[in-house]
Amino acid sequence: MYSILMITAAAVFALCRASHYMPNGDSSHECSLGPDSNGKYTIQGPNIRASFVPYGASISNLYINDTHGIERDIVAGWDNASYYSIDRQHPHFGGVPGRYANRIKNSSFVIDGKKWSVQPNENPTVDHPDGVDTLHGGPNGWDWRNWTLVSLSENSITFTLTDSDGNGGFPGKVISYVTYTLGNMTWDFKMTALSTTNKTPIMLSSHTYWNLDGFANNETTTALNHTLWLPYAGQRVGTDTILVPTGDIIVNKQGDANDFWSTPKQMGADMASPIMLGNCGYGCTGYDTCFINNLRNLSLTENWSSNLLPVAQIQSSWSGIQLDVFTNQDAIQIYSCNGQNGSVTLKSTQGTPDERFIQQYGCIVLEPQDWIDGINHPNWGRKQIWGPEDDDIYTLEASYRFSLISKMAT
């Protein structure tokens, strides 16, 4: 089993070029091996480059040229790697939430008849000052941790993390590896995790905040102009007023606010509708929704990378940048950055002279993952408990494919 997961810690570090790509793919400057002055590691592929930091194994920058040949940094993050551990808001910019992504109801679950309680960190009350549920692995979740860099090449980077038995209340020691690879306008990643001692919940994701305009659109400060298409998303996981799953699986009726499967539409198309109030929790207008990929009678787990349709597609007509997401996961969480309030500063590579902050709805988060809180709904039949006796290990794979177009295909 270990041979499946292990990546040698003695990997030879190849020289990398942090290239500023021009429309023809040429590079205009190079960098030496190792982190730059901001503590970031930069890799490259044809017409794309990206920077990563060990904190949370996070993507910090992703550069694509738009249809006018202007380079856009299209993910949110911080200019300096040191700020990731300082920021008190901790919006999970670009990190790997774990060991269990999204929410765990009542911060507890049952494995083989035994109840386990983990540390809560969301929705505090008078009786429960630390919270009533656990979000993204709790207060010491994996995107709050410094991962170890084990491999770096010109177009790929790998991080590893060992999570001890009992950390945050979770049973089992877990070893995880995350590899990011850039191709020709593609960003692929593979996440693996193995519990070496006891059965434990495992579900990971990539928590990247996207704005395909590089937050530089002079017509709007939001990403509500982005067009979203979820061709498989016929249902969604029902949640209560604090976004904890209720166990209900809800049909996304054609034409309603949560219908992104029948035809592409802008993120802001239904924002003014009264039915949107409460769509993302109590008093919230927007999306923080786990969409289930179960339409069109196509398998996402077998030959997922060669499917004709992506799990998700977003596009901005302003920049002409389109992103198609392919993955082996059976759900995808969509978050419309409802919680942003203009207090988070943009990076120096983003925005306009007049706009230096991320505003409400200024970004979109796409989180490929399994059905959220499936560990507390065994009737769903999800495989989310993993142990050393399993023949396979937990594996999440995804391919993010970029293109430049003038109009989204329908």
Side-chain angles (χ1 to χ4, degrees), residues 61-81:
N61 308 76
L62 194 148
Y63 301 96
I64 293 284
N65 284 354
D66 68 13
T67 53
H68 302 288
I70 300 173
E71 185 179 73
R72 304 294 180 187
D73 181 1
I74 58 177
V75 301
W78 307 111
D79 275 323
N80 192 282

Side-chain angles (χ1 to χ4, degrees), residues 76-346:
W78 307 111
D79 275 323
N80 192 282
S82 64
Y83 198 72
Y84 282 78
S85 61
I86 297 173
D87 170 50
R88 294 183 179 274
Q89 297 183 74
H90 197 75
H92 309 278
F93 277 157
V96 178
R99 68 176 72 175
Y100 193 86
N102 219 287
R103 292 170 175 86
I104 300 175
K105 184 177 182 178
N106 296 327
S107 300
S108 65
F109 48 86
V110 175
I111 299 178
D112 294 338
K114 180 179 179 179
K115 181 179 179 180
W116 295 87
S117 295
V118 294
Q119 288 181 290
N121 65 330
E122 191 184 41
N123 297 305
T125 66
V126 174
D127 294 332
H128 302 278
D130 292 328
V132 297
D133 65 278
T134 298
L135 175 64
H136 295 325
N140 195 33
W142 290 6
D143 62 337
W144 292 79
R145 311 265 292 279
N146 276 306
W147 292 55
T148 300
L149 175 67
V150 294
S151 179
L152 175 67
S153 70
E154 183 177 5
N155 74 325
S156 184
I157 188 169
T158 298
F159 297 98
T160 187
L161 179 74
T162 298
D163 199 23
S164 61
D165 185 359
N167 182 41
F170 286 95
K173 176 182 176 181
V174 176
I175 302 172
S176 181
Y177 286 89
V178 174
T179 297
Y180 301 118
T181 304
L182 298 184
N184 187 1
M185 293 188 75
T186 62
W187 174 36
D188 297 342
F189 54 83
K190 183 175 184 178
M191 303 178 181
T192 58
L194 170 67
S195 180
T196 63
T197 56
N198 301 99
K199 291 181 180 180
T200 190
I202 299 176
M203 185 172 76
L204 307 181
S205 188
S206 171
H207 207 275
T208 305
Y209 287 61
W210 299 94
N211 183 302
L212 299 184
D213 298 333
F215 299 93
N217 190 329
N218 57 5
E219 300 171 0
T220 178
T221 60
T222 78
L224 297 180
N225 67 313
H226 287 31
T227 300
L228 176 66
W229 187 32
L230 305 174
Y232 299 98
Q235 295 177 317
R236 66 187 186 275
V237 176
T239 57
D240 61 18
T241 57
I242 58 172
L243 296 178
V244 172
T246 61
D248 297 325
I249 303 300
I250 303 172
V251 174
N252 298 322
K253 296 180 181 179
Q254 187 170 358
D256 76 7
N258 290 288
D259 169 24
F260 288 96
W261 61 265
S262 64
T263 187
K265 68 178 180 182
Q266 287 194 342
M267 285 292 296
D270 297 300
M271 284 295 188
S273 172
I275 63 174
M276 285 296 292
L277 180 61
N279 195 59
C280 47
Y282 179 77
C284 177
T285 297
Y287 298 94
D288 197 349
T289 308
C290 181
F291 290 93
I292 298 174
N293 302 318
N294 61 354
L295 278 181
R296 303 181 190 271
N297 297 318
L298 292 177
S299 172
L300 296 177
T301 56
E302 297 179 8
N303 303 316
W304 60 269
S305 63
S306 59
N307 284 338
L308 295 178
L309 298 176
V311 164
Q313 180 185 88
I314 56 172
Q315 183 259 350
S316 168
S317 59
W318 188 84
S319 66
I321 296 174
Q322 177 174 299
L323 166 59
D324 291 303
V325 177
F326 294 81
T327 182
N328 67 342
Q329 298 298 291
D330 285 336
I332 187 166
Q333 185 89 7
I334 303 296
Y335 174 56
S336 54
C337 292
N338 325 304
Q340 294 298 319
N341 58 11
S343 61
V344 174
T345 306
L346 290 167

Side-chain angles (χ1 to χ4, degrees), residues 348-369:
S348 59
T349 53
Q350 298 174 320
T352 67
D354 296 328
E355 184 52 67
R356 303 304 311 147
F357 297 91
I358 302 177
Q359 302 298 332
Q360 186 180 37
Y361 308 125
C363 42
I364 302 171
V365 182
L366 311 175
E367 304 168 56
Q369 57 195 215

